[in-house]
């Protein structure tokens, strides 16, 4: 974990509301593990003070990039920033995905929307290539399909409106796949919470291990404020753990979906 | 140049501390800044037993501030002592432990336990919580209860005692006086303000708890007025807080009557804030030829403008 001021190298629209931001961050880049995130302070945000968390998408020698969707004040202000502008980041943060061992499980990745961003490094660093299931509402929500193909992965696309790939939810082809063969496979997922809960359900139904990257509102990003907690099973009960520190990636079996404080 | 100040018999090397609940247990920020440059580390509120806290969302960003309803999640006295105390005890700067309870007896018991620990810098009593024995009356907004809880803690420990007053009162002066009379050594002003925000699309409150506490730069002018009101009512020192994000903010609190300050919400967006406040304060003193930081305390000029 480092706090650094980094320079924007590019910040371009990808598709629809999605943007790709690349920064020069020579101190941060070598530390990044798959599934970790950067906590970004967006200058010019004025009265909106808090940092915004983004999964780290790609890493090269001295740079890293994020893939973000402009959904509100912060991400819209970010989209207006230009190469040469500076950002304050705290990164890399959080506990990421477990990279499969050589000869270990075959990874099946499940992504919804910007969830693709959290999974790219894992796909790149996994010794076994697997399948990535990517879903979205419409075609414009399907991100970096070609980049996953270029890594040699099998990419299966679903959209709810059928405008790209199969029509339906991303979990349908996933169920078909694990029904065909469950042994020796492991699920890794990032996306909207209902999708993650469904993936957790599939994992337990078919007895496949799964790691889920959870999305909770964050303030500090480093474990001090306790804003970002989710319920994690412990003994017969459960306890709150921090998405920014113990997570964002959790073993699906440990998540207590129904627990309420 | 002298930057040190006294909080009871506790000496702070400089007047810049951090606000409880915005700095975890210190260790989390140790990789981002040198904790030994702070006046003191102040930890998240602790009661006797572990506390699970509220459901999420626990925070919501609002204009120039935020709401929180964490629900005082914490590890309890034993969990804190086992997990966090060894690290804090090894720091060069004192640790101030923020404590709370749901009865007068619980406050006193927590104070006794931390007294027995040895090496604690001071205790800060968070009185913004309800007393379950008294049917939920707030310790911080009931003069009799406030006096009782401070007096009970005073008996339970010889550690410097700081009372963190609730801002949720018509006039803060009587509460400041009650805490002073009950034997505390300093006041912390202010805690967050009761507040609410609603998502108009879903018509639901933005916090799962419904309401929460407002903090950040938006509360600063109200907090300055509270410090100023209290400073005229008591002789004990005041630790001022509420929206501090720069040295100028901290100096404003000091001019209103605060002997020391605490950086809270700003830690979340700029973890270096407390150190920046320190540097800016020294620079201000240098620029104005101020030899002793205590010269700033209460130095606001209230005489009529000519
Ligand atoms: C671990 C993690 C990784 C993430 N990775 C990505 C990513 O790779 N790409 C991407 O586009 N988005 C990602 N997000 C979501 C992203 O943080 C939010 O979209 C962003 O904070 C919205 O900010 P805003 O100011 O545009 O929206 P506003 O609605 O104006 O934000 C108001 C407040 O709510 C918070 N907030 C709003 N939506 C979310 C959300 N979905 N999750 C968490 N906090 C939210 C903001 O941080 C801010 O504090 C991630 C979130 C988390 C927790
Ligand atoms: C997330 C959060 C948690 C807090 N937790 C505590 C706490 O445990 N005990 C306490 O006395 N005050 C707590 N506070 C109040 C702060 O210590 C401080 O008094 C208040 O936020 C005003 O300062 P600020 O505007 O600089 O944040 C908390 C504030 C925030 C934002
Ligand atoms: S965001 Fe503050 S503890 Fe996780």
């Amino acid at each position: 974990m480092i706090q650094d001021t980094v320079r924007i190298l590019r910040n371009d629209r990808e598709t629809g509301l999605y943007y790709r931001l690349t920064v020069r961050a020579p101190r941060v880049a070598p530390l990044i593990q798959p599934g970790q995130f950067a906590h970004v302070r967006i200058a010019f945000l004025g009265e909106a003070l808090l940092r915004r968390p983004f999964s780290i998408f790609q890493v090269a020698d001295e740079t890293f990039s994020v893939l973000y969707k402009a959904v509100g004040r912060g991400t819209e202000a970010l989209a207006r920033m230009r190469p040469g502008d500076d950002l304050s980041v705290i990164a890399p943060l959080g506990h990421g995905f477990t990279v499969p061992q050589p000869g270990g499980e075959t990874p099946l990745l499940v992504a919804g929307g910007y969830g693709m961003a959290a999974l790219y490094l894992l796909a790149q660093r996994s010794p076994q290539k697997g399948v990535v299931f990517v879903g979205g509402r419409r075609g414009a929500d399907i991100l970096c399909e070609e980049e996953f193909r270029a890594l040699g992965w099998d990419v299966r696309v679903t959209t709810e409106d059928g405008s790209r790939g199969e029509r339906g939810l991303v979990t349908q082809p996933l169920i078909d796949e694990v029904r065909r063969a469950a042994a020796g496979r492991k699920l890794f997922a990032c996306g909207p919470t209902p999708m993650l809960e469904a993936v957790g359900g599939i994992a337990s139904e078919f007895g496949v291990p799964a790691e889920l990257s959870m999305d909770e509102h964050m303030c500090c990003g480093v474990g001090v404020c306790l804003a970002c907690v989710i319920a994690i099973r412990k003994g017969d009960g459960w306890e709150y753990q921090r998405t920014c520190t113990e997570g964002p990636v959790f073993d699906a079996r440990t998540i207590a979906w129904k627990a309420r404080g | 140049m002298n930057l040190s100040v006294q909080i009871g018999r506790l000496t702070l090397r400089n007047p810049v501390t951090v606000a409880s609940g915005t700095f975890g247990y210190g260790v989390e920020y140790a990789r981002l800044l040198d904790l030994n440059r702070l006046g003191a580390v102040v930890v998240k509120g602790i009661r006797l037993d572990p506390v699970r806290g509220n459901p999420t969302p626990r925070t919501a960003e609002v204009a120039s501030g935020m709401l929180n309803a964490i629900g005082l999640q914490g590890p309890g006295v034993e969990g804190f002592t086992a997990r966090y105390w060894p690290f804090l005890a090894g720091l060069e700067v004192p640790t101030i432990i923020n404590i709370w309870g749901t009865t007068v007896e619980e406050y006193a018991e927590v104070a006794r336990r931390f007294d027995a620990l040895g090496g604690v810098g001071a205790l800060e009593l968070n009185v913004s919580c309800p007393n379950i024995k008294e049917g939920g009356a707030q310790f911080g907004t009931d003069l009799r209860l406030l006096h009782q809880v401070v007096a009970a803690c005073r008996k339970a420990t010889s550690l410097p005692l700081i009372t963190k007053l609730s801002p949720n009162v018509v006039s803060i002066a009587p509460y400041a006086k009650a805490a002073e009379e009950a034997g505390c050594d300093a006041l912390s002003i202010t805690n967050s303000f009761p507040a609410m925000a609603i998502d108009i699309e879903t018509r639901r409150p933005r916090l799962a708890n419904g309401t929460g506490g407002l903090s950040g730069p938006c509360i600063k002018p109200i907090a300055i007025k509270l410090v100023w009101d209290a400073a005229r009512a008591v002789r004990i020192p005041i630790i001022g807080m509420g929206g501090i994000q720069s040295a100028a903010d901290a100096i404003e609190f000091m001019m209103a009557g605060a002997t020391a300050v605490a950086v809270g919400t700003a830690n979340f967006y700029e973890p270096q804030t407390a150190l920046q406040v320190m540097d800016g304060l020294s620079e201000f003193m240098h620029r104005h030829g101020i030899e002793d930081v205590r010269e700033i305390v209460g130095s606001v000029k209230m005489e009529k403008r000519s």
Side-chain angles (χ1 to χ4, degrees), chain A residues 64-75:
Chain A
F64 73 82
S65 49
V66 305
L67 207 55
Y68 65 95
K69 185 176 185 184
V71 294
R73 284 178 298 200
T75 43

Side-chain angles (χ1 to χ4, degrees), chain B residues 101-292:
Chain B
T102 53
T103 59
V104 173
E105 296 72 32
E106 185 180 357
Y107 273 96
E109 180 58 22
V110 176
R112 211 170 288 123
R113 299 274 189 103
F114 283 131
D115 187 283
L117 192 55
V120 173
L123 297 180
E124 181 180 57
L125 313 181
N126 175 7
V127 293
S128 305
C129 23
N131 180 331
I132 49 168
K133 256 198 191 164
E134 301 268 338
Q138 296 246 317
F139 287 102
T141 56
D142 181 313
L143 281 170
R144 189 181 53 87
L145 272 181
L146 178 67
H147 193 283
Q148 269 181 27
V149 79
V150 176
C153 291
R154 179 70 295 161
K155 263 185 148 167
T157 178
S158 60
L159 290 171
L161 270 187
I162 304 161
T163 306
K164 184 162 180 180
L165 294 178
S166 166
N168 200 21
V169 293
V170 176
S171 163
I172 202 160
Y175 295 86
K177 269 199 203 122
E180 180 180 46
E181 279 165 19
C184 77
D185 302 288
L187 303 173
S188 276
I189 299 173
T190 177
N191 214 315
S192 54
F193 289 78
M196 186 173 185
I198 298 168
D199 180 331
I200 61 167
E201 299 302 324
T202 61
R203 301 192 187 206
R204 297 173 69 93
R206 286 173 58 200
L207 296 176
N209 189 53
T211 63
L214 180 65
S215 66
C218 61
I219 70 170
K220 192 189 78 176
I222 320 179
I224 302 253
K225 165 76 160 54
L226 288 169
V227 167
W228 184 65
D229 284 341
R232 287 175 302 157
V234 297
R235 278 185 305 274
I236 51 177
I238 295 171
I239 305 173
M241 67 197 79
I244 295 177
Q245 54 178 351
S246 67
D249 296 337
I251 293 163
E252 233 184 295
F253 271 96
M254 296 183 82
M255 288 183 174
T259 296
V261 295
V263 173
T265 300
N267 293 312
F268 299 153
Y269 51 94
E270 181 44 77
Q272 309 302 325
T273 304
L275 301 187
Q276 291 165 357
V277 167
M278 263 280 302
D279 293 340
L281 177 60
S282 309
E283 193 273 330
F284 177 85
M285 288 171 62
H286 189 75
R287 189 152 47 86
H288 289 269
I290 300 167
E291 278 303 315
D292 190 324

Side-chain angles (χ1 to χ4, degrees), chain A residues 3 47 51-52 226 238, chain B residues 52 58 61 64 269 272:
Chain A
Q3 180 173 356
E47 61 178 32
R51 288 171 183 265
R52 270 50 175 167
L226 308 177
W238 57 274
Chain B
R52 183 176 263 170
R58 288 176 166 189
E61 190 182 61
S64 296
Y269 51 94
Q272 309 302 325

Side-chain angles (χ1 to χ4, degrees), chain A residues 121-132:
Chain A
L121 268 186
L122 178 67
Q124 193 180 34
R125 295 188 186 176
S126 169
Q128 284 82 244
K129 297 185 201 320
V131 187
V132 46

